[in-house]
Amino acid sequence: MPSYDVIIIGAGPGGYVCAIRCAQLGLKTAVVEGREALGGTCLNVGCIPSKALLHATHSLHEAQHNFAAMGLKAAAPEVDWAQMQAYKQDVIDGNTKGIEFLFKKNKVDWIKGWASIPAPGQVKVGDTTYDAKKIVIATGSEPSALPGIEIDEKTVVTSTGALSLPTIPKSVAVIGAGVIGLELGSVYSRLGAEVTVIEYLDAITPGMDGEVQKTFQRMLKKQGLKFVMGAAVQSVQTAKTGNKVLYKLRKNDKEEALEAEVVLVATGRRPFTAGLGLEALGVEMTGRGQIATNHYATNIPGLYAIGDATPGPMLAHKAEDEGVALAEILAGQKGHVNYGVIPGVIYTHPEVASVGATEEQLKEEGRAYKAGKFSFMGNGRAKAVFAGDGFVKILADATTDRVLGCHIIGPAAGDLIHEICVAMEFGAAAEDIARTCHAHPTFSEAVREAAMACGDGPIHS
Ligand code: NAI
């Protein structure tokens, strides 16, 4: 029977990163993956392809809206959807092949197929059973559709179908104003579709800083997205005739029947653990269907779990960090993840990024804090690239000045946030950031000015 020190099930960001680090730390490692390509949801039908479409459609938006102002004259750009899809596929292939290369370089074996765990210490793929001293479940998540709504991935789609629609629809109804709904809603809105986002709650992007939520929604509305807030979608049905989907929503105790060419169901994701045999093994689960863990160990000796299949934010980088920490633990080191400093980014235009506490959370905790805010209107670089809308807000302890959180909506927010992540890892005060020289002209000066706003005040506002 072939045997390994570690067998990891799933080659998404959690699994492949864990495998590479295990191998680097001297463990004989294999990964079981049933998809044709490595990289999991993130590389194949998630983060990476959506970023390709967001980049392409943002470029279209720039050409349509800002080229003329910069003195660039060109014929109005036309969209070649087939070519945009081919570009997206090239981006996916380049990334997934990259993981294959890294596996070979680090001597990680890829066992192709779908795994089950017939007994502790054993992984079965097809007709072969492998021995493993340690098994890691990194099987990720899948879209959680609404009850009674049938997904065909053609007209009623999840994010997977929305990335590969055969044609650009004239209208899209997006159920759920979360990250997926707003990113993919933005893509189709820029491509000319009429996009209506239906959200159950009163605010978009649940859990995000309230001020950012309001500013973000205002900006998206300006870009043409329509919102129906406080409304629950009750049913979705493909019409028997014509090219449309009928859906019903309930708002203020009234039912409304509407239609769209495509309905995107973006109401969250759930752990994907089917077929592993966890119930027969007696693996303890949480009430939300996640694998219960304690420092990544399940209740079965030698069986571990990381990423979306376990509690915590469903983010690729959270899974990656857990993969590294677990590899270190399995190699006898002390792996650790600081769950207080996990950034979240929404890759719309402008980008939205946050880390640490929101004002709402600090108020609820009764913690005295100060908020230093700086608008990108006061940032020379942002104004030069039509990106003056938005702000940086740093939250710091009222007494110690220690940075507790940061919320950014504006240019390159997803990159700027990492200055704050590093500051928080070092337990920095806002003054530490304020006294650090930042190159001019950069967007990062807005972060420094927000830090200054926690003290004696910013210069440029
Ligand atoms: P989400 O949990 O972020 O948002 C779902 C939204 O749907 C919520 O606002 C909820 O109130 C609403 N909703 C639920 N049922 C509804 C109904 N019947 N009618 C109307 N509204 C309803 O989920 P989403 O966007 O599907 O994302 C899933 C996961 O994937 C999240 O954990 C997210 O963080 C992750 N993700 C992260 C990305 C990033 O980091 N950029 C990109 C894409 C996904």
Side-chain angles (χ1 to χ4, degrees), residues 393-459:
K393 180 163 73 174
I394 293 177
L395 307 174
D397 186 276
T399 316
T400 64
D401 196 34
R402 186 180 177 139
V403 178
L404 303 173
C406 178
H407 308 278
I408 308 176
I409 178 161
D415 289 300
L416 295 180
I417 198 72
H418 295 93
E419 173 175 5
I420 302 295
C421 295
V422 174
M424 287 177 73
E425 284 288 353
F426 279 82
E431 189 181 344
D432 291 319
I433 299 168
R435 290 195 183 276
T436 302
C437 184
H438 285 60
H440 176 77
T442 61
F443 301 130
S444 74
E445 289 172 285
V447 176
R448 183 190 196 181
E449 296 251 22
M452 286 174 160
C454 290
D456 296 331
I459 302 294

Side-chain angles (χ1 to χ4, degrees), residues 176 178-180 183 199-200 206 231 233 266-269 314-315 345 347:
V179 189
I180 292 180
E183 286 186 354
E199 169 57 49
Y200 180 71
V233 173
T267 50
R269 297 180 64 86
M314 286 183 162
L315 296 171
V345 180
Y347 299 87

Side-chain angles (χ1 to χ4, degrees), residues 15-222:
Y16 86 69
V17 168
C18 184
I20 291 171
R21 183 58 99 226
C22 282
Q24 288 171 341
L25 295 176
L27 300 169
K28 190 178 176 214
T29 308
V31 174
V32 189
E33 173 56 61
R35 266 184 215 270
E36 292 300 312
L38 299 172
T41 299
C42 171
L43 271 67
N44 289 285
V45 286
C47 321
I48 296 298
S50 62
K51 259 79 268 175
L53 294 185
L54 280 159
H55 174 69
T57 56
H58 175 61
S59 306
L60 173 68
H61 184 270
E62 284 290 286
Q64 287 170 336
H65 296 269
N66 293 332
F67 270 24
M70 291 187 284
L72 296 171
K73 288 188 182 171
E78 277 172 44
V79 177
D80 178 343
W81 183 234
Q83 177 54 33
M84 200 181 283
Q85 288 286 324
Y87 148 70
K88 182 200 75 181
Q89 193 56 46
D90 273 354
V91 173
I92 295 172
D93 293 345
N95 279 278
T96 57
K97 295 257 159 49
I99 310 294
E100 264 185 66
F101 163 79
L102 291 174
F103 273 13
K104 284 194 188 116
K105 183 179 163 199
N106 289 284
K107 302 195 172 40
V108 172
D109 289 344
W110 174 7
I111 303 170
K112 295 186 183 176
W114 300 100
S116 62
I117 309 168
Q122 290 188 355
V123 174
K124 189 164 184 262
V125 185
D127 295 331
T128 313
T129 302
Y130 299 81
D131 270 341
K133 288 184 194 136
K134 312 282 182 197
I135 300 169
V136 179
I137 301 171
T139 46
S141 59
E142 60 182 349
S144 65
L146 292 167
I149 294 181
E150 211 173 296
I151 306 283
D152 61 16
E153 295 294 13
K154 289 189 181 81
T155 51
V156 183
V157 298
T158 66
S159 51
T160 305
L163 290 166
S164 304
L165 293 178
T167 51
I168 300 168
K170 289 197 177 55
S171 59
V172 180
V174 177
I175 312 178
V179 189
I180 292 180
L182 298 182
E183 286 186 354
L184 290 174
S186 290
V187 164
Y188 285 103
S189 171
R190 292 169 192 166
L191 288 169
E194 183 177 302
V195 175
T196 307
V197 183
I198 301 115
E199 169 57 49
Y200 180 71
L201 301 170
D202 291 328
I204 64 170
T205 56
M208 195 167 271
D209 184 89
E211 204 176 355
V212 171
Q213 286 176 327
K214 285 195 196 95
T215 309
F216 189 25
Q217 194 177 354
R218 175 178 56 74
M219 287 180 177
L220 291 172
K221 272 187 189 162
K222 214 165 121 188

Side-chain angles (χ1 to χ4, degrees), residues 25 295-296 321 324-337:
L25 295 176
H295 286 88
Y296 319 118
D321 278 24
V324 171
L326 177 55
E328 288 168 348
I329 291 168
L330 297 181
Q333 302 179 1
K334 303 233 178 302
H336 173 74
V337 175

